[in-house]
């Protein structure tokens, strides 16, 4: 997937990438501070596009998200969100979605997103091709529709399982980044407190020692 993403970035202009018409795609990338990255997804009429994104790492864990139709109309706009799930019914054309980090001048963001495409027309064609090679179903006392329904049910559940596992990995990555950031912060302030305690202890020892010093000068 990483090689595919790099290849797409080489073929298209800067800040633009394109995905092949796959039924399920996920991608993780780093969005630098002050930058905006856009992607295109070709869609068919009366299909469904589901997009879920999460900010895994970066100060604030937030990003601006835009989803535009082939006509250039804004379908979704999320401002300074850490995650989101959006589903739209599509028409023929290229849908563009952008992640905007221009509001940040220092912190880069690590973003994960997943595309799920439904009713793209490929499954129906496969089923029609299968029916050409199936004969004698009456002799087996089975219905082709029942077989197709069972296979589609298993396929849908497997796809849902893969999707849930992918999302769980994304949540795990984000939680791990938060924990590592908290760990570094705790260590830093612990060292600061330790330094303050050492300085205070040294000052107290010096003050106590000065109280017991005999400052009178001896006469000869």
């Amino acid at each position: 997937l990483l090689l595919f993403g790099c290849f797409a970035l080489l073929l298209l202009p800067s800040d633009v990438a394109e995905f092949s018409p796959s039924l399920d795609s996920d991608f993780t990338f780093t969005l630098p501070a002050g930058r905006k990255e856009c992607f295109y997804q070709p869609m068919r009429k009366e299909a469904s596009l589901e997009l879920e994104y999460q900010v895994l790492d970066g100060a604030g864990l937030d990003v601006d998200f835009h989803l535009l139709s082939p006509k250039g109309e804004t379908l979704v706009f999320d401002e300074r969100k850490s995650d989101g799930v959006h589903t739209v019914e599509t028409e023929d054309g290229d849908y563009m979605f952008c992640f905007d980090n221009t509001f940040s001048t220092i912190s880069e963001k690590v973003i994960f997103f997943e595309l799920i495409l439904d009713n793209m027309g490929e499954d129906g064609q496969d089923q029609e091709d299968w029916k050409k090679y199936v004969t004698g179903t009456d002799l087996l006392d089975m219905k082709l529709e029942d077989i197709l329904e069972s296979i589609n049910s298993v396929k849908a559940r497997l796809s849902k399982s893969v999707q849930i596992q992918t999302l769980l990995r994304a949540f795990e990555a984000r939680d791990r980044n938060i924990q590592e950031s908290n760990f570094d912060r705790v260590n830093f302030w612990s060292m600061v407190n330790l330094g303050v305690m050492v300085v205070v202890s040294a000052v107290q020892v010096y003050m106590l020692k000065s109280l017991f010093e005999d400052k009178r000068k001896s006469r000869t």
Side-chain angles (χ1 to χ4, degrees), residues 138-167:
D138 294 336
L139 298 178
L140 299 177
D141 198 19
M142 296 178 62
K143 293 183 179 180
L144 180 58
E145 288 76 9
D146 295 337
I147 299 176
L148 291 176
E149 183 178 356
S150 300
I151 293 177
N152 289 332
S153 176
V154 173
K155 180 181 178 182
R157 294 187 180 185
L158 289 176
S159 300
K160 190 64 176 180
S161 299
V162 172
Q163 179 187 0
I164 293 175
Q165 291 176 358
T166 302
L167 295 179

Side-chain angles (χ1 to χ4, degrees), residues 113-132:
F113 67 88
E114 182 179 19
L115 294 176
I116 301 176
L117 314 181
D118 292 329
N119 301 326
M120 293 296 289
E122 298 178 359
D123 291 342
Q125 184 64 35
D126 292 340
Q127 293 176 5
E128 293 297 331
D129 292 340
W130 187 17
K131 291 180 180 179
K132 298 178 182 179

Side-chain angles (χ1 to χ4, degrees), residues 162-179:
V162 172
Q163 179 187 0
I164 293 175
Q165 291 176 358
T166 302
L167 295 179
L168 289 177
R169 287 197 298 268
F171 279 121
E172 180 185 2
R174 184 173 66 177
D175 293 342
R176 183 172 63 251
N177 292 330
I178 294 175
Q179 291 176 358

Side-chain angles (χ1 to χ4, degrees), residues 89-139:
E89 300 298 325
T90 63
E91 57 186 14
D92 290 330
D94 295 336
Y95 282 76
M96 182 176 72
F97 54 98
C98 301
F99 298 94
D100 191 350
N101 194 31
T102 54
F103 60 84
S104 178
T105 57
I106 300 176
S107 176
E108 63 181 17
K109 307 294 174 62
V110 178
I111 300 175
F112 162 84
F113 67 88
E114 182 179 19
L115 294 176
I116 301 176
L117 314 181
D118 292 329
N119 301 326
M120 293 296 289
E122 298 178 359
D123 291 342
Q125 184 64 35
D126 292 340
Q127 293 176 5
E128 293 297 331
D129 292 340
W130 187 17
K131 291 180 180 179
K132 298 178 182 179
Y133 300 99
V134 177
T135 57
T137 55
D138 294 336
L139 298 178

Side-chain angles (χ1 to χ4, degrees), residues 2-219:
L2 180 59
L3 293 176
F4 170 76
C6 295
F7 180 71
L9 290 175
L10 290 175
L11 291 179
L12 296 176
S14 176
D15 296 343
V16 176
E18 182 179 3
F19 285 93
S20 62
S22 174
L23 294 179
D24 192 352
S25 302
D26 58 87
F27 190 48
T28 303
F29 70 101
T30 300
L31 181 60
R35 289 286 301 276
K36 178 180 179 181
E37 294 287 347
C38 295
F39 303 85
Y40 284 99
Q41 175 58 53
M43 295 298 298
R44 299 181 180 180
K45 186 177 180 180
E46 297 181 355
S48 175
L49 169 63
E50 179 179 349
L51 190 148
E52 177 165 354
Y53 69 91
Q54 296 180 28
V55 182
L56 302 182
D57 194 14
L61 293 177
D62 54 357
V63 71
D64 291 344
F65 173 77
H66 306 260
L67 176 61
L68 284 79
S69 69
K71 299 178 181 179
E73 301 173 349
T74 300
L75 302 178
V76 177
F77 174 63
D78 291 342
E79 185 176 5
R80 307 290 291 270
K81 293 291 188 66
S82 61
D83 56 72
V85 181
H86 303 286
T87 303
V88 295
E89 300 298 325
T90 63
E91 57 186 14
D92 290 330
D94 295 336
Y95 282 76
M96 182 176 72
F97 54 98
C98 301
F99 298 94
D100 191 350
N101 194 31
T102 54
F103 60 84
S104 178
T105 57
I106 300 176
S107 176
E108 63 181 17
K109 307 294 174 62
V110 178
I111 300 175
F112 162 84
F113 67 88
E114 182 179 19
L115 294 176
I116 301 176
L117 314 181
D118 292 329
N119 301 326
M120 293 296 289
E122 298 178 359
D123 291 342
Q125 184 64 35
D126 292 340
Q127 293 176 5
E128 293 297 331
D129 292 340
W130 187 17
K131 291 180 180 179
K132 298 178 182 179
Y133 300 99
V134 177
T135 57
T137 55
D138 294 336
L139 298 178
L140 299 177
D141 198 19
M142 296 178 62
K143 293 183 179 180
L144 180 58
E145 288 76 9
D146 295 337
I147 299 176
L148 291 176
E149 183 178 356
S150 300
I151 293 177
N152 289 332
S153 176
V154 173
K155 180 181 178 182
R157 294 187 180 185
L158 289 176
S159 300
K160 190 64 176 180
S161 299
V162 172
Q163 179 187 0
I164 293 175
Q165 291 176 358
T166 302
L167 295 179
L168 289 177
R169 287 197 298 268
F171 279 121
E172 180 185 2
R174 184 173 66 177
D175 293 342
R176 183 172 63 251
N177 292 330
I178 294 175
Q179 291 176 358
E180 292 177 353
S181 177
N182 292 336
F183 177 75
D184 294 337
R185 188 178 294 110
V186 169
N187 286 339
F188 172 77
W189 287 110
S190 297
M191 295 300 298
V192 171
N193 291 333
L194 180 60
V196 172
M197 292 176 60
V198 171
V199 172
V200 171
S201 300
V203 172
Q204 290 179 346
V205 170
Y206 174 77
M207 293 181 64
L208 289 174
K209 184 178 180 182
S210 64
L211 293 176
F212 292 96
E213 289 182 350
D214 188 2
K215 298 182 180 180
R216 293 177 299 176
K217 297 182 179 179
S218 60
R219 297 180 180 179

